[in-house]
């Protein structure tokens, strides 16, 4: 009711014990375009739906390589995302430089979470307006982490965020049991099927879809347009055959 | 975090003059009469020789694998060459600690470049970056004598040679390290055909260049005690990189 009095500064608590600025930052994530992350026993996959601001503009890349074994997709303020990507990359390189080994995914998630939390406790800063989905493969297997602007993070078997992602969430919840034993191609197909209905005014195709894969014997790779095409074709074929999902 | 090094050692660089001159009577001077300050030296030489030869469409970069300290051998199989990209390598003689730090630092910079620019650094860009990196430590240098070899953006072989503080020159062939004085004149004669009236009408092929480089190391190994054991030879072409190990005398 008195939300407006307590929501100007990030350092002001509301009487209900909430930080409204942080919650508003989480709203920004919901404005971004949809993205999905899921994992099997051996692989992790990221799928992002790329937006373009007009017919004449390029598509905003969604999936980024952070290191040879970690990739990331984001939703929210793209500028904040770019800055955090640079931070993620330099953290991984720094670790490799000092310890000559890849940074474990969970440790990276913690480091980013600390950085995000920092901004929620300084009066001269604002929280990052971007949610980060990390997908990585390290000595303990594939992992998917979601980092929130609040500084919270969780590990997931599968996760989705962004505009119109509710249908994707429902799809992932319904099919979560089969992901563990999926092959890489099937895992990608599940990701595409999940995100299919989050697309606004059009179809998912090789132009507006970013796919990233990582896993056992597979360093992180963002698929090129030519590599995405067969997956999209498979999606279209299955749709036409009217397979039940 | 690494570009501007804190030159806290600058103070140490001020020379401490040893007091006292030779005694007037011409007798042997003793340590008591002319005390010399014992100082920690951050530098040490680990020996080693490095050679680079560039051709029309290939580049050969080779270094020996003997690591020395004084008159001792620390290792017979110590790598001095690092692959930077699929088309470029760096080989370094001098102090191994600085060599490792420098190579690691370059690899870091290269990875960052690839993340931010979506492509690998070209050989000429790497060469320039090394020059800058070395000069940034002008007042506490890396004790490294580098050669960068690779395929430049035009598909031609290129070899760059450096001194410890980053003086860079693009060349057709070069040698650096402990065996350099023995090898450079040989390369001048057989690769540069300097001051010769009769020169071959065609350039060496890649395989002929590799044979020549093997000869230079075998030659240097005869007279230079710090060169020997084995040679790591990297051959770069537009198609990629191949590595060969050539054994040398172990004496």
């Amino acid at each position: 009711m008195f939300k407006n009095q307590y929501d100007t500064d990030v350092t002001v608590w509301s009487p209900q014990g909430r930080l409204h600025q942080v919650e508003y930052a989480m709203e920004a994530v919901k404005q971004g375009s949809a993205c999905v992350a899921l994992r099997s026993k051996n692989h992790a996959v990221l799928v992002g739906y790329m937006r373009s601001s007009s017919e004449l503009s390029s598509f905003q890349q969604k999936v980024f390589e952070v290191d040879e074994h970690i990739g990331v997709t984001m939703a929210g303020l793209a500028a904040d995302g770019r800055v955090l990507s640079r931070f993620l990359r330099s953290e991984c390189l720094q670790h490799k430089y000092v310890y000559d080994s890849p940074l474990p995914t969970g440790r990276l998630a913690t480091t980013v979470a600390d950085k995000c939390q920092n901004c929620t406790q300084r009066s001269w800063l604002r929280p990052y307006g971007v949610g980060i989905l990390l997908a990585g493969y390290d000595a303990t297997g594939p992992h998917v982490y979601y980092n929130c602007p609040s500084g919270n993070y969780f590990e997931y078997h599968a996760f989705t965020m962004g505009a119109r992602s509710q249908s994707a969430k429902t799809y992932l919840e319904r099919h979560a049991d089969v992901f563990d034993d999926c092959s890489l191609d099937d895992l990608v197909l599940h990701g595409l099927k999940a995100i299919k209905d989050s697309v606004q005014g059009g179809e998912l195709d090789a132009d507006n879809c970013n796919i990233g894969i990582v896993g056992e014997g597979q360093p992180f790779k963002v698929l090129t347009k030519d590599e995405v095409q067969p997956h999209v074709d498979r999606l279209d074929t299955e749709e036409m055959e009217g397979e039940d999902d | 975090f690494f570009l501007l090094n804190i030159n806290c050692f600058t103070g140490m660089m001020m020379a401490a003059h040893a007091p006292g001159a030779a005694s007037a009577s011409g007798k042997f001077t003793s340590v008591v009469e002319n005390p010399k300050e014992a100082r920690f030296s951050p530098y040490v030489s680990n020996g080693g020789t490095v050679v680079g030869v560039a051709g029309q469409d290939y580049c050969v970069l080779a270094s020996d694998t003997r690591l020395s300290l004084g008159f001792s051998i620390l290792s017979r199989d110590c790598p001095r060459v690092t692959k930077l990209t699929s088309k470029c390598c760096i080989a370094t003689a001098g102090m191994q600690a600085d060599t490792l730090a420098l190579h690691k630092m370059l690899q870091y910079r290269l990875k960052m470049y690839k993340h931010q620019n979506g492509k690998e650094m070209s050989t000429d860009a790497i060469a320039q970056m090394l020059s800058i990196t070395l000069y940034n430590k002008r007042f506490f240098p890396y004790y490294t004598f580098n050669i960068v070899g690779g395929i430049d953006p035009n598909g031609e072989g290129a070899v760059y040679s450096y001194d410890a503080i980053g003086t860079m020159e693009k060349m057709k062939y070069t040698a650096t390290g402990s065996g350099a004085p023995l090898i450079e004149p040989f390369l001048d004669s057989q690769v540069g055909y300097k001051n010769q009236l009769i020169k071959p009408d065609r350039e060496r092929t890649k395989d002929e260049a590799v044979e020549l480089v093997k000869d230079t190391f075998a030659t240097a190994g005869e007279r230079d005690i710090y060169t020997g054991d084995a040679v790591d030879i990297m051959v770069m072409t537009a198609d990629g990189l191949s590595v060969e190990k050539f054994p040398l005398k172990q004496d």
Side-chain angles (χ1 to χ4, degrees):
Chain A
M1 194 172 46
F2 292 106
K3 209 156 81 137
N4 292 331
Q5 282 181 275
Y6 307 107
D7 66 357
T8 323
D9 266 325
V10 74
T11 51
V12 174
W13 288 100
S14 82
Q16 288 78 35
R18 291 154 66 168
L19 289 169
H20 288 296
Q21 275 295 304
V22 175
E23 290 173 21
Y24 295 165
M26 278 147 64
E27 287 295 314
V29 175
K30 298 183 193 160
Q31 305 296 329
S33 71
C35 41
V36 159
L38 56 168
R39 73 154 202 243
S40 68
K41 260 197 230 128
N42 298 314
H43 294 93
V45 164
L46 291 169
V47 182
Y49 162 57
M50 297 190 276
R51 263 198 203 136
S52 78
S53 56
S54 81
E55 287 236 337
L56 298 170
S57 85
S58 61
F59 290 93
Q60 172 88 41
Q61 190 185 346
K62 269 302 250 197
V63 177
F64 300 92
E65 180 191 324
V66 160
D67 201 357
E68 277 169 12
H69 63 299
I70 299 182
V72 77
T73 183
M74 300 177 183
L77 265 49
D80 283 4
R82 200 173 52 243
V83 162
L84 277 175
S85 287
R86 203 179 316 142
F87 173 74
L88 290 169
R89 284 168 174 166
S90 79
E91 283 297 299
C92 284
L93 282 181
Q94 178 101 340
H95 189 273
K96 199 170 270 172
Y97 182 90
V98 175
Y99 300 105
D100 206 19
S101 79
L103 180 61
T105 324
R107 295 265 294 279
L108 184 62
T110 315
T111 317
V112 168
D114 287 345
K115 195 168 161 73
C116 290
Q117 190 280 339
N118 196 46
C119 302
T120 67
Q121 213 172 6
R122 308 271 180 272
S123 60
W124 62 90
L125 296 176
R126 63 154 176 86
Y128 285 101
V130 68
I132 299 175
L133 266 179
L134 283 173
Y137 184 82
D138 56 31
T140 51
H143 295 280
V144 167
Y145 285 92
Y146 171 59
N147 277 82
C148 197
S150 62
N152 257 339
Y153 71 99
F154 292 101
E155 185 173 0
Y156 287 92
H157 286 278
F159 189 77
T160 178
M161 58 178 179
R164 286 175 295 282
S165 59
Q166 189 50 50
S167 63
K169 219 166 235 145
T170 322
Y171 180 93
L172 292 176
E173 278 167 12
R174 247 193 279 144
H175 292 81
D177 297 329
V178 310
F179 292 156
D180 255 355
D181 296 311
C182 270
S183 69
L184 180 58
D185 284 337
D186 284 342
L187 202 64
V188 172
L189 188 65
H190 277 300
L192 287 173
K193 280 188 182 166
I195 209 175
K196 188 180 56 168
D197 292 323
S198 313
V199 171
Q200 177 196 22
E203 288 287 317
L204 205 63
D205 59 38
D207 273 323
N208 62 22
C209 180
N210 245 172
I211 302 179
I213 55 178
V214 69
E216 192 175 353
Q218 171 67 56
F220 186 86
K221 183 180 154 74
V222 179
L223 301 186
T224 64
K225 210 168 114 171
D226 290 333
E227 289 164 336
V228 168
Q229 192 62 53
H231 292 288
V232 169
D233 290 340
R234 202 173 150 208
L235 175 74
D236 291 336
T237 322
E238 288 208 5
E239 261 194 336
M240 282 199 301
E241 286 169 8
E243 264 187 43
D244 176 40
D245 65 348
Chain B
F1 71 93
F2 42 74
L3 273 187
L4 294 170
N5 283 286
I6 304 158
N7 289 319
C8 50
F9 287 105
T10 314
M12 266 172 59
M13 298 303 254
M14 308 295 184
H17 291 286
S23 63
S25 65
K27 283 202 308 253
F28 281 77
T29 57
S30 78
V31 176
V32 174
E33 276 180 61
N34 294 317
K36 237 162 70 176
E37 196 184 321
R39 284 205 5 217
F40 165 70
S41 168
Y43 296 118
V44 94
S45 175
N46 292 125
T49 304
V50 174
V51 169
V53 175
Q56 185 64 20
D57 58 356
Y58 63 84
C59 178
V60 179
L61 190 57
S63 79
D64 76 324
T65 61
R66 172 175 289 179
L67 192 72
S68 328
L69 188 63
F71 288 121
S72 302
I73 295 179
L74 297 178
S75 169
R76 293 193 190 274
D77 189 14
C78 155
R80 286 196 169 86
V81 192
T82 304
K83 172 184 158 176
L84 295 176
T85 70
S86 53
K87 295 201 171 112
C88 182
C89 295
I90 177 174
T92 310
M95 187 167 100
Q96 191 64 3
D98 279 355
T99 300
L100 290 172
L102 179 65
H103 287 195
K104 221 172 178 177
M105 152 90 118
L106 289 175
Q107 283 175 317
Y108 178 110
R109 296 282 296 273
L110 253 52
K111 280 214 187 100
M112 213 54 195
Y113 182 96
K114 181 141 188 252
H115 274 144
Q116 292 182 331
N117 296 281
K119 66 175 177 114
E120 286 190 324
M121 257 179 116
S122 62
T123 303
D124 51 344
I126 293 172
Q128 179 67 5
M129 184 175 79
L130 176 60
S131 176
I132 302 299
T133 306
L134 291 170
Y135 195 82
N136 275 343
K137 288 215 351 125
R138 170 71 176 80
F139 300 110
F140 183 19
Y142 288 106
Y143 190 160
T144 55
F145 301 100
N146 298 282
I147 300 183
V148 165
I151 306 295
D152 71 13
N154 301 322
E156 291 170 10
V159 151
Y160 297 84
S161 85
Y162 298 79
D163 69 1
I165 50 171
T167 310
M168 173 177 99
E169 195 182 344
K170 186 174 177 180
M171 312 172 95
K172 284 263 145 213
Y173 58 86
T174 190
T176 190
S178 60
L182 299 167
I183 296 177
E184 276 274 20
F186 177 68
L187 293 179
D188 277 332
S189 159
Q190 296 302 305
V191 183
Y193 309 110
K194 295 281 167 80
N195 294 303
Q196 290 174 31
L197 290 174
I198 304 170
K199 301 177 199 186
D201 51 8
R202 66 164 179 86
E203 199 202 52
R204 269 193 189 72
T205 65
K206 181 183 64 156
D207 295 324
E208 286 168 349
V210 171
E211 288 310 301
L212 179 90
V213 164
K214 287 178 184 172
D215 283 342
T216 60
F217 276 95
T219 313
E222 290 292 332
R223 295 285 179 175
D224 177 29
I225 59 172
Y226 298 112
T227 302
D229 292 325
V231 187
D232 277 334
I233 305 174
M234 319 283 257
V235 185
M236 287 152 279
T237 59
D239 299 323
L241 171 80
S242 76
V243 184
E244 191 186 333
K245 212 171 187 78
F246 173 65
L248 292 176
K249 277 164 64 172
Q250 295 192 319
D251 68 348

